[in-house]
Amino acid sequence: MEITFLGTGGGRFSTIYQRRKTGGIRFVDEKNNIHIDPGPGALLLSHRFDLNPLDINTVILTHAHPDHYNDIEVLIEAMTRGGTNKSGNFLSCESGLRKVGNFGPVVSEYHRDLTSRNVLLEEGNEIALKGNIEVSPKKVRHSDPSTHGLVIKTEEGRIGYTSDTSFFEGMRKKFEGSRLLVLNVTRPRDSSIKGHLSTEDAVKLVNEIEPEVVVLTHFGFKMLDKGPKKEAEFIEEKTDIKSIAAEDGMKIKFNEDINLRGITKPITRY
Ligand SMILES: [Zn+2]
Ligand SMILES: [Zn+2]
């Protein structure tokens, strides 16, 4: 499995200013091409990083905030060859499919009808993809009440992705066993905010879950001012677990080993 970060920004202002990009994360193996949380720029950044949008066969939406859903309809059009070929999976939080409180539905009925399978992300609903990959949705705590994190089960082990969430008791149980843990750490030390993880929360989680590698992403303005690298170093110091602050375009090879492939094409920051 190769994982590409098509952006590492998150929250309203990182997104509006594009201080870091917000294109989501692509997971590619021999049989699957999965795009998770395609925020603004996902289409452009797919081209920029040579990840053909026509190759996508699964789109996953974890919640109804624009830094996660903005480009989703155009990626569904790519996945279905402009809607001419009913194909692909759309795995969605409830607010992607229908109204949940003040959220959603963020994907039109027209686009939902283009795919061959729409599946609701619900805890306990294990979703099988090609090649023995299984997606296990995990309910987390964010302003969209239907927000779900994910555990992606592969033959080489589990990858956990928290999506946006407050820290809460019981998170360990949901993400335990993850070899690679991708955390949306929007806030740095001494700056926590409801609905998002901070560096202190990340230390607690990493100590509880003990993955092999932890990757931080989804950086807000305060995090970028403080320096995600420094925050990752702090987490590593407190947990003794390899901790990396993701960069736009960073790739990770997830096999028996977990290897950083570096940044393919560094892109301009504003
Ligand atoms: Zn977000
Ligand atoms: Zn959010």
Side-chain angles (χ1 to χ4, degrees):
M1 182 79 81
E2 185 169 76
I3 303 157
T4 307
F5 290 82
L6 290 91
T8 53
R12 281 164 291 178
F13 291 100
S14 281
T15 305
I16 291 164
Y17 286 99
Q18 288 289 292
R19 205 166 148 190
R20 292 272 184 116
K21 303 301 174 196
T22 49
I25 312 176
R26 188 81 70 88
F27 291 75
V28 179
D29 68 9
E30 302 78 42
K31 294 189 173 146
N32 296 281
N33 197 305
I34 307 165
H35 199 116
I36 298 179
D37 284 346
L43 178 66
L44 279 170
L45 292 156
S46 293
H47 289 294
R48 190 153 197 171
F49 296 132
D50 295 325
L51 293 166
N52 188 347
L54 295 171
D55 293 341
I56 295 171
N57 53 28
T58 299
V59 174
I60 307 182
L61 174 65
T62 67
H63 68 286
H65 281 155
D67 51 336
H68 299 255
Y69 75 68
N70 193 76
D71 280 12
I72 200 159
E73 289 177 339
V74 71
L75 288 197
I76 288 174
E77 291 190 7
M79 176 169 82
T80 59
R81 308 251 152 193
T84 60
N85 179 15
K86 202 168 170 68
S87 61
N89 307 295
F90 173 38
L91 278 44
S92 179
C93 55
E94 193 178 357
S95 52
L97 308 173
R98 50 187 170 256
K99 187 169 159 59
V100 179
N102 290 334
F103 295 93
V106 294
V107 177
S108 74
E109 198 176 341
Y110 167 78
H111 288 95
R112 281 179 265 140
D113 284 347
L114 298 181
T115 67
S116 59
R117 185 164 74 136
N118 293 328
V119 190
L120 180 67
L121 294 180
E122 241 180 343
E123 194 149 332
N125 183 17
E126 310 282 300
I127 305 156
L129 299 178
K130 289 180 184 167
N132 291 330
I133 299 280
E134 217 173 55
V135 176
S136 179
K138 303 291 174 190
K139 193 165 173 37
V140 292
R141 294 193 189 160
H142 195 46
S143 49
D144 173 351
S146 70
T147 305
H148 280 74
L150 308 167
V151 172
I152 299 170
K153 299 175 181 170
T154 76
E155 282 174 352
E156 283 84 32
R158 296 178 179 201
I159 302 165
Y161 167 61
T162 57
S163 186
D164 294 359
T165 180
S166 294
F167 177 83
F168 56 94
E169 294 305 321
M171 263 190 105
R172 177 192 60 78
K173 216 170 164 16
K174 293 182 193 252
F175 294 95
E176 70 186 354
S178 298
R179 289 183 59 209
L180 172 65
L181 186 61
V182 180
L183 299 178
N184 283 7
V185 184
T186 308
R187 290 297 189 114
R189 275 169 278 174
D190 305 318
S191 183
S192 67
I193 187 177
K194 197 175 169 232
H196 291 283
L197 296 175
S198 66
T199 299
E200 291 93 341
D201 298 328
V203 168
K204 275 190 272 181
L205 259 180
V206 172
N207 270 327
E208 289 180 351
I209 296 171
E210 297 184 321
E212 284 169 43
V213 176
V214 57
V215 174
L216 316 183
T217 185
H218 199 274
F219 305 131
F221 251 54
K222 287 194 174 174
M223 182 58 139
L224 291 169
D225 286 345
K226 197 125 184 193
K229 241 188 177 157
K230 266 201 232 155
E231 298 300 285
E233 280 163 16
F234 177 79
I235 294 167
E236 185 162 315
E237 195 185 296
K238 294 287 176 198
T239 62
D240 261 339
I241 285 169
K242 188 168 177 56
S243 305
I244 297 152
E247 295 273 347
D248 294 346
M250 187 179 90
K251 283 181 187 287
I252 295 174
K253 268 264 188 226
F254 180 82
N255 295 94
E256 312 83 64
D257 301 316
I258 301 174
N259 295 317
L260 273 188
R261 297 281 304 280
I263 298 149
T264 44
K265 289 181 189 173
I267 52 184
T268 320
R269 303 253 170 75
Y270 305 113

